[in-house]
Amino acid sequence: MNERPVSNALRPSACPGLLRIVPALDGGICRIKLGGGSISSTQAKAVASAAEHFSSGAIEATNRANLQIRGIGCEQTALIESLLAAGLGPQNAAGDDVRNLMLSPSAGIDRKMLLDTRPLAERILATLQNHEPFHDLSAKFAVQLDGGEALAMLEHPHDLWLSAFVRDDEVRWAFGLAGCPTDTPAGSVALDDGHNLVVAVLELFLELARPEQTRMRHLLAEYSVEDFLSRLAGRLSFHAMTDWRRTEDSVVLHIGAHPQAQVGLVYVGAISPLGRLDPAMLRGAAQLASEFGDGSLRFTPWQSLLLPNVRNQHAAEVVERLEQLRFLCDPGQSLTRMIACTGSSGCGKGLAETKGDALQLATLLQRHGHALNVHLSGCPRSCAAAHIAPVTLLAVAPGHYDLYFRDAAQPGFGALHARNLTIEAVATLLDARSRSPLDA
């Protein structure tokens, strides 16, 4: 079913894929797109082996719930073939780029879910790969399905989002364009029309967008939302709505053990420090999934993973063994709240060694008893975080950062608070701010 990589089947893009390995300072990057963030333990072991044999061994959990292998050398074809043999590739070569569909990591097991989004997700992913016109979508064009789960990433903007809600005892899909489920919806459709909605929106986008308009937000800068919806109404029946908005639960639900909708079962969440795993960590987590769970792992937009369907009585042992593998399972650890891009060691645009600086900052904050959500970015592109973090450090030189605090009234990273700070100065300032009664 999987095709061998064919170079002329892939359009030019700076984004890595499974079939397109993109060069970086530390070697090639291969991105493995996971359906709904899920991977079997057998497949996870195949990723670990591929990283071990054909790269530096660096594996990354991404903020779109995918995996990346970094540091790939000259054996690119062997690496790709090993991943295809494990069933991790697209249904056809041209469909690799467009497999951009985000689900809640707890889809189908979350106690607050209104429905299981996975059947619809499988149908949408098949259409994205096999409907040839959709191969013209950008490798960054993305769709989100939210089933009302407590554990859901609601801050990442998507070109199209669908969010389940209840109105008059009927579950429907609210939907929106170029935003997040916490925005005011553009409209709603019946539950059975979810797939038709995605197809209609994507086909209309491709008909209207010029080649340089690769994202929905680019198109909506020329066409108003009202104009787009009026054209959509000719293809699909939907209801206008402005009186509903999605609320967000605490994201700490992705760390530690949490009860599932299924009685007697929990999922166990663990963070890979700064999104990095080595083959032993991934192989060990896969073994735990086989031994105590259902033989699958789920990666999350918080660069963490879940082991679903673990029996209550085994939760403590699974947590302990994950920690022995160097995963983080305690939300009180400062490092669980840190996000950092590859930095200058692997990216030519990075102005600082962000991962090393993040480790230093986490250690300093832990001494002060703080676990703050901090994002360290080596350049303004913000590759490591699709959302705006409460605190952002933007590198200006090795070991020096401008400090921003999130402010809804300010564009970009938010309000600039201080310039050209060392990591020690950042820690001192954040400690003082956390102790201030004005920020309580």
Side-chain angles (χ1 to χ4, degrees), residues 36 38 74 78 83 147 165 176 231-232 254 256 272 311 313 342 372 408 411 440:
S38 184
C74 59
L83 297 174
F165 74 107
R231 295 169 186 262
L232 183 65
H254 69 109
S272 50
R311 294 192 178 278
Q313 62 267 32
T342 300
L372 306 175

Side-chain angles (χ1 to χ4, degrees), residues 265-339:
L265 297 179
V266 300
Y267 65 81
V268 179
I271 288 184
S272 50
L274 301 176
R276 282 284 175 93
L277 305 88
D278 60 33
M281 292 174 71
L282 183 55
R283 191 176 286 115
Q287 179 60 37
L288 290 175
S290 297
E291 187 175 346
F292 294 102
D294 63 0
S296 72
L297 302 89
R298 302 186 185 192
F299 284 86
T300 84
W302 299 279
Q303 298 179 310
S304 58
L305 61 80
L306 308 184
L307 272 62
N309 296 311
V310 174
R311 294 192 178 278
N312 284 338
Q313 62 267 32
H314 297 146
E317 182 177 354
V318 171
V319 167
E320 180 180 359
R321 288 176 60 176
L322 284 168
E323 290 176 336
Q324 290 171 356
L325 291 166
R326 294 187 293 108
F327 287 97
L328 307 174
C329 299
D330 179 1
Q333 295 171 278
S334 292
L335 198 53
T336 64
R337 309 295 182 95
M338 293 281 170
I339 305 170

Side-chain angles (χ1 to χ4, degrees), residues 118-426:
R118 292 174 295 176
L120 177 57
E122 289 181 9
R123 189 178 176 195
I124 292 172
L125 281 170
T127 300
L128 287 170
Q129 294 178 81
N130 297 313
H131 186 45
E132 188 172 347
F134 289 164
H135 299 167
D136 290 332
L137 291 167
S138 162
K140 293 182 179 296
F141 195 99
V143 180
Q144 179 175 13
L145 283 183
D146 161 39
E149 300 91 353
L151 179 61
M153 169 54 82
L154 303 176
E155 294 185 289
H156 284 195
H158 281 73
D159 297 278
L160 169 65
W161 57 263
L162 286 71
S163 185
F165 74 107
V166 178
R167 178 65 51 86
D168 298 327
D169 296 325
E170 177 191 7
V171 180
R172 294 177 62 85
W173 291 114
F175 70 91
L177 309 172
C180 308
T182 50
D183 298 336
T184 300
S188 75
V189 297
L191 210 56
D192 290 342
D193 284 333
H195 180 265
N196 294 336
L197 170 68
V198 173
V199 171
V201 169
L202 270 54
E203 287 182 341
L204 180 57
F205 170 83
L206 288 171
E207 288 178 19
L208 297 176
R210 299 190 304 274
E212 67 272 19
Q213 293 172 323
T214 57
R215 305 296 301 274
M216 184 65 75
R217 66 177 185 271
H218 302 150
L219 181 66
L220 297 182
E222 179 175 340
Y223 293 87
S224 68
V225 173
E226 292 74 20
D227 187 4
F228 189 94
L229 292 176
S230 69
R231 295 169 186 262
L232 183 65
R235 302 164 181 252
L236 180 84
S237 175
F238 63 88
H239 295 168
M241 64 178 302
T242 58
D243 59 344
W244 177 87
R245 295 184 80 165
R246 175 71 152 92
T247 56
E248 186 171 5
D249 287 278
S250 172
V251 297
V252 297
L253 290 171
H254 69 109
I255 307 173
H258 299 276
Q260 294 184 185
Q262 295 79 14
V263 176
L265 297 179
V266 300
Y267 65 81
V268 179
I271 288 184
S272 50
L274 301 176
R276 282 284 175 93
L277 305 88
D278 60 33
M281 292 174 71
L282 183 55
R283 191 176 286 115
Q287 179 60 37
L288 290 175
S290 297
E291 187 175 346
F292 294 102
D294 63 0
S296 72
L297 302 89
R298 302 186 185 192
F299 284 86
T300 84
W302 299 279
Q303 298 179 310
S304 58
L305 61 80
L306 308 184
L307 272 62
N309 296 311
V310 174
R311 294 192 178 278
N312 284 338
Q313 62 267 32
H314 297 146
E317 182 177 354
V318 171
V319 167
E320 180 180 359
R321 288 176 60 176
L322 284 168
E323 290 176 336
Q324 290 171 356
L325 291 166
R326 294 187 293 108
F327 287 97
L328 307 174
C329 299
D330 179 1
Q333 295 171 278
S334 292
L335 198 53
T336 64
R337 309 295 182 95
M338 293 281 170
I339 305 170
C341 67
T342 300
S344 56
S345 65
C347 177
K349 296 183 184 295
L351 298 179
E353 181 43 69
T354 51
K355 290 199 182 292
D357 291 339
L359 290 172
Q360 181 186 1
L361 180 60
T363 299
L364 293 172
L365 291 178
Q366 193 74 47
R367 290 175 186 168
H368 295 306
H370 302 310
L372 306 175
N373 293 302
V374 182
H375 168 213
L376 289 82
S377 187
C379 79
R381 294 186 304 163
S382 187
C383 295
H387 65 289
I388 303 302
V391 179
T392 297
L393 299 178
L394 178 61
V396 294
H400 289 74
Y401 295 82
D402 288 346
L403 171 63
Y404 293 82
F405 292 117
R406 184 167 60 189
D407 184 343
Q410 299 276 358
F413 294 121
L416 177 61
H417 185 79
R419 291 188 180 275
N420 199 28
L421 298 176
T422 64
I423 290 299
E424 294 84 352
V426 169

Side-chain angles (χ1 to χ4, degrees), residues 33-51:
K33 295 186 176 181
L34 307 178
S38 184
I39 185 172
S40 73
S41 57
T42 300
Q43 290 173 325
K45 291 175 182 177
V47 172
S49 294

